[in-house]
Amino acid sequence: MKHNSMLAMILAGGRGSRLHELTNKVAKPAVSYGGKYRIIDFPLSNCANSGIDVVGVLTQYESILLNSYVAAGRRWGLDAKDSGVFVLPPREKADVNLDVYRGTADAISQNIDFIDTYSPEYILVLSGDHIYKMDYDKMLKEHKAQNADATIAVIEVPMKEASRFGIMNTDEAGQIVEFEEKPEHPKSNLASMGIYIFNWKLLRKMLVADMKNPDSNHDFGKDIIPALLNDGRKLYAYKFKGYWKDVGTIDSLWEANMDLLGKNNELDLHDSSWKIYTEDVTCLPQYVGPNAKIDRAFITQGCVLDGEVKNSVLFTGAKVGKDAKIIDSVLMPGVVVEDGAVVTRALVADNVKIGAGAVVGSADSEHIELVSKRVKGVE
């Protein structure tokens, strides 16, 4: 199952500005999720489980933590002699005075030499900030069977949400006839998941031409895919069925955590046949005190509970004091909620302390409250 014919490149350089303070110091793919994971664990584990052994991770903003996290490739079993996870930050070029990637396609263009050293037949380009499980090997088999120049993974979204995505319009055979970026009046609900397989020789040629084009945004959605369609190339839509979440906003990150509480939770983080690998943090087992009340909660190791937790997700090492109440909320690693405090419909950032008797969030608020700074207790 090992793939020397396909190499993966994960685009992990997004600024994640809609996650506000959560991404001030940490790149979006390094944001915590699901008790003990980070978002980047999902695409990396998918690569390892799909037999892809060379993965480039393209980073830029606030990437110190992400770089050191990713550099430990052994976490995902990607540390054998011919394999590895490689961190690829932008390079400063003499002619382009930039130390950022100008677009998704530019991120790949700047790393053509890296890709060429492995001379892959196919290249898989992934977004580093989505939560899902997917077998890329199956997608590659389909790509070959269709004899496609490029294959784009799509997911059916509700028609009313389609205008938020890049939409692929296809014929009956699944061939893409038109691509529309966030169309006001979408013709279909097949949203691009930002997962592409290209024949490397062809993509390389397109990227070289794109780099020389002064009018290009150097972006897959805006430039490369439309250029392939204009050239009459065969682009195929690979339909993905299963759980997929773009966690680009506080509300969607909260929802993705809340989805873990569902009885028929499609993501199933305990599935041993498709393991999601992560950093192994050494900490004590969780402790549930004699007065604690728990109703539908996802509680990770190292948590200490003396209060009430209802319909909430608690990450590694969160502490809930006596008579404190956590309702419909997500507590990230190391959060401390002191005695008598009440947290409702909130997402509390790493290591934030909520003082005794404080009240945070509200059951009626339309949006989820992000708590990223210490909240003083009631004097």
Side-chain angles (χ1 to χ4, degrees), residues 152-184:
I152 298 170
V154 295
I155 190 160
E156 292 186 12
V157 294
M159 207 63 194
K160 61 178 194 298
E161 286 178 27
S163 54
R164 288 178 31 218
F165 297 94
I167 295 294
M168 301 291 163
N169 300 320
T170 61
D171 63 15
E172 298 76 61
Q175 195 164 325
I176 298 165
V177 289
E178 183 187 22
F179 169 66
E180 296 184 286
E181 183 63 67
K182 302 187 178 164
E184 213 173 310

Side-chain angles (χ1 to χ4, degrees), residues 49-120:
N49 291 329
S50 303
I52 295 166
D53 38 25
V54 176
V55 182
V57 179
L58 304 140
T59 63
Q60 47 188 348
Y61 305 112
E62 296 304 340
S63 63
I64 294 167
L65 175 77
L66 179 64
N67 293 357
S68 60
Y69 184 72
V70 164
R74 59 182 180 282
R75 258 176 221 149
W76 303 276
L78 293 165
D79 62 341
K81 187 162 69 71
D82 310 323
S83 67
V85 183
F86 300 91
V87 178
L88 304 166
R91 283 172 291 194
E92 289 196 41
K93 291 190 188 146
D95 56 329
V96 190
N97 187 16
L98 287 173
D99 55 355
V100 293
Y101 289 129
R102 293 171 296 172
T104 51
D106 183 51
I108 305 296
S109 302
Q110 284 198 36
N111 291 289
I112 285 177
D113 314 352
F114 168 79
I115 298 167
D116 279 346
T117 50
Y118 294 92
S119 46

